[in-house]
Amino acid sequence: MKLLVIGNGGREHTIIRKLKENPQVKEILCCSGNGGISKDARCFPIKPTDIDGVCELAKREAVDFAVVAPDDPLVLGMVDALTQIGIPCFGPTADAAVIEGSKVFSKNLMKKYGIPTAGYEVFDDPAQAMQYIQEKNEFPIVIKADGLALGKGVLIVKNLQEAKDAIHSMMEEHIFGTSGSTIVVEEFLTGPEVSVLAFTDGKTMCPMVSSMDHKRALDNDEGLNTGGMGTVAPNPCYTPDIAKECMEKIFLPTMDAMNKEGRTFKGCLYFGLMLTPKGPYVIEYNCRFGDPETQVVLEMLDSDLLTIMQAVSKGELARQEIRFRDGCAACVVLASGGYPQHYETGYEICGLDENGQAPGVSVYHAGTKFEDGKFLTAGGRVLGVTATGENLPQALQKAYAAADAITFKGKHCRRDIGARALKALEK
Ligand code: AMP
Ligand code: GLY
């Protein structure tokens, strides 16, 4: 089989490595890939959002199956376009991807179908938004841009002045472009966060092993929000009882709600949950695999990924057995110094071992390129050093040992990935 994967980060590198485990896979093409991906797939300089370019390539190369991984091509309708030219795909159609593409849509969906989420109001007028926040006078409060904003469209404000600044920058200075023309103002929730990715074909819901992301740039959850600085799986806060409650109150109701709205979701649905004192609440939905959640979750998947993805696409997920390994996985992201703000790229990455760094370790490339026989940094998040172990301390120890052996100028990583999870395990 000839496969096509759309995307260019650590998540896509992980998906490609996993797909290659199936002996039927003869070749994988990727738009547009990165330095590491170029060793595992044939890369094309076609942007993941270039629908015409991707379709033209898929047709010319007679691709048998495509996986659309990032949010923006999904929201733009890449799956619809590929399906139309007869190429089976993994990923939701644009109608269903709106669950991530519009926070207003997802909040209204949850309200309509009684799915637990923070109380909220929607505004497209800055003065009205400010008036509401002033009258409510409860801080902190959360302000979210309606549309996609590279994971940065959420601001938690602690007082009236910060609220004013946030609304001004989103709605009047348009720091997130048109994504911030409409905003959601919502109640601030507290509790441990859990990421749950689930395969669904609209009829069956198969949650994968849970994970914990570390979104802030610096140790102790300080610094700015990033795409994610590291992950562990499973998430020890996510007990079997909580998993059962989430299935009943969140996962299945979401699948049913999307069906009732005529927006059947097929693909990987990402539930960003907060375990509040009142029970599990949905913080956000994503219409795709998370990054860097995928690195730890797929590392623990024991079943064949391509078979599952094909079953999702055909609506035959019920017949599929999906197994995860025992043990734990950890991913430490190596980033360019300064990320998520200003950073320099083009530095040589040293210490990479062609055969994987050590048994049980995988290095997934995110912002890298391969030039003149060398890997160079080419983005904010550079590598996701991922390891498995019998338990979490072992997985973390292996991941950090491998991460420390890799160097590049300005390399930054958090030293406390998994620390909160280890604390939760002690309790
Ligand atoms: P999101 O992009 O929606 O995942 O939000 C980014 C981060 O902001 C989340 O991972 C949470 O840590 C935080 N967050 C979002 N919504 C809330 C909320 N209602 N209460 C508290 N924290 C929130
Ligand atoms: N790691 C969070 C996300 O992929 O949105």
Side-chain angles (χ1 to χ4, degrees), residues 124-128 130 163-177 180-183:
D124 53 19
D125 176 71
Q128 278 175 10
M130 264 324 288
K164 240 182 224 159
D165 295 344
I167 287 174
H168 177 70
S169 56
M170 274 194 200
M171 303 185 84
E172 290 164 339
E173 283 182 338
H174 302 288
I175 55 165
F176 303 125
S181 304
T182 303
I183 61 164

Side-chain angles (χ1 to χ4, degrees), residues 17-82:
R17 284 267 183 88
K18 198 77 193 167
L19 289 170
K20 279 179 79 174
E21 288 177 7
N22 183 316
Q24 279 184 308
V25 174
K26 288 282 169 288
E27 192 180 24
I28 302 185
L29 316 184
C30 184
C31 300
S32 44
N34 60 39
I37 292 176
S38 73
K39 302 285 160 198
D40 289 298
R42 185 147 58 99
C43 294
F44 294 82
I46 299 172
K47 275 200 196 137
T49 49
D50 178 357
I51 294 186
D52 291 342
V54 169
C55 285
E56 200 260 319
L57 173 80
K59 225 180 188 167
R60 189 176 75 227
E61 291 281 344
V63 164
D64 297 299
F65 191 75
V67 177
V68 185
D71 49 5
D72 36 3
L74 289 166
V75 169
L76 286 170
M78 183 69 83
V79 167
D80 311 59
L82 284 166

Side-chain angles (χ1 to χ4, degrees), residues 299 351 353-363 385-388 398-399 401-402 405:
E299 198 69 49
D353 177 346
E354 247 179 67
N355 305 310
Q357 306 300 109
V361 175
S362 305
V363 178
V385 183
T386 309
T388 51
K398 276 192 333 204

